[in-house]
Amino acid sequence: MSFVRLTVEVGGMRFTTRDWSLGGLCIEGILRGHALDEALPVRVSGVRKGKVHRVDLTARLIRIDHARVETAMAFDDLEPADLDKLQALITGR
């Protein structure tokens, strides 16, 4: 299975994922204007089977790496329905 690149929207800005798991994600780029450990609303989206799928979640900012130009976030308290949506988005089912 190839790596699925997802789009992440935070504060009106769009980023591409560098990597992700069901525990969180890392985006390409620096998310400016936010503090570490801050909880942020995020929208994760991707195209599966020709259709755009989205899931709105809360993620906590856990790392900003200026050298690698990336920002990492961990998902906060995923509800079972959100976990199912995220898993479907990632696996393409």
Side-chain angles (χ1 to χ4, degrees):
M1 181 169 95
S2 62
F3 177 72
V4 176
R5 293 174 85 55
L6 304 173
T7 299
V8 178
E9 296 176 51
V10 183
M13 296 181 293
R14 293 180 128 197
F15 301 91
T16 301
T17 53
R18 180 156 289 160
D19 63 38
W20 43 256
S21 70
L22 293 177
L25 53 85
C26 181
I27 58 173
E28 296 175 348
I30 302 296
L31 184 58
R32 301 188 190 286
H34 298 282
L36 289 177
D37 205 38
E38 182 178 350
L40 303 167
V42 299
R43 172 173 282 169
V44 180
S45 61
V47 177
R48 299 297 164 265
K49 299 179 182 176
K51 185 177 176 186
V52 175
H53 296 271
R54 295 180 183 89
V55 59
D56 293 316
L57 307 166
T58 301
R60 188 163 303 282
L61 187 58
I62 59 171
R63 180 173 42 88
I64 298 172
D65 188 330
H66 290 277
R68 294 186 64 180
V69 192
E70 64 185 23
T71 303
M73 294 177 266
F75 298 128
D76 271 353
D77 302 323
L78 287 178
E79 297 289 326
D82 292 334
L83 183 60
D84 286 345
K85 289 178 192 174
L86 185 61
Q87 192 170 27
L89 185 61
I90 290 169
T91 63
R93 64 176 166 93

